[in-house]
Amino acid sequence: MNNQFLDDLFSMPVYQSDAKTDLLFFKALMKELAHHASGDETYESFLKRSSYHEITDYNSIENVPFIPVQVFKVLGNELISIDKSEITSKLSSSATSGRPSTIVLDKVTSK
């Protein structure tokens, strides 16, 4: 998936914080959310159960529902918005609370 907003954001100075970077961040986030919602039924269901039902309803970053850490502990191996053949690695936390959080990476996200 190509996200031009993300590419533009990463081309800006590292600690620049202004209306332009805020807008680019929000647009990049919305494109990423749409990608994950369309590729992962679990995440799509989570979004539909939130206070907003369509990604286009999120008019500010404050309205985007956060994902509790517990979700990555319980469903980490199932939150996959890519084809399983594209997985290059899985990252797990140290499990200091007793259960590790897990995320999967592909070639793009492991850069």
Side-chain angles (χ1 to χ4, degrees):
M1 179 195 70
N2 182 27
N3 187 337
Q4 188 61 48
F5 299 120
L6 199 55
D7 293 342
D8 291 346
L9 187 63
F10 286 146
S11 72
M12 300 183 86
V14 176
Y15 295 106
Q16 181 172 331
S17 180
D18 56 26
K20 182 178 180 182
T21 56
D22 289 349
L23 181 61
L24 277 174
F25 180 80
F26 180 72
K27 287 182 175 183
L29 178 63
M30 292 301 98
K31 186 153 183 168
E32 294 294 318
L33 289 178
H35 166 74
H36 290 294
S38 69
D40 182 11
E41 290 179 17
T42 304
Y43 185 62
E44 180 183 32
S45 175
F46 169 77
L47 290 176
K48 286 183 177 180
R49 287 190 315 260
S50 70
S51 56
Y52 296 89
H53 300 289
E54 299 294 328
I55 288 178
T56 54
D57 291 340
Y58 303 128
N59 56 11
S60 72
I61 198 164
E62 291 80 13
N63 292 333
V64 177
F66 66 91
I67 302 174
V69 166
Q70 190 65 20
V71 169
F72 295 99
K73 294 179 181 298
V74 176
L75 299 173
N77 288 315
E78 298 173 36
L79 292 174
I80 301 172
S81 54
I82 56 172
D83 188 272
K84 288 186 179 188
S85 66
E86 296 178 43
I87 295 172
T88 57
S89 58
K90 292 183 181 184
L91 301 179
S92 296
S93 68
S94 61
T96 54
S97 65
R99 188 171 193 176
S101 297
T102 304
I103 60 169
V104 297
L105 301 176
D106 64 359
K107 188 186 292 186
V108 174
T109 57
S110 62
K111 284 189 200 178

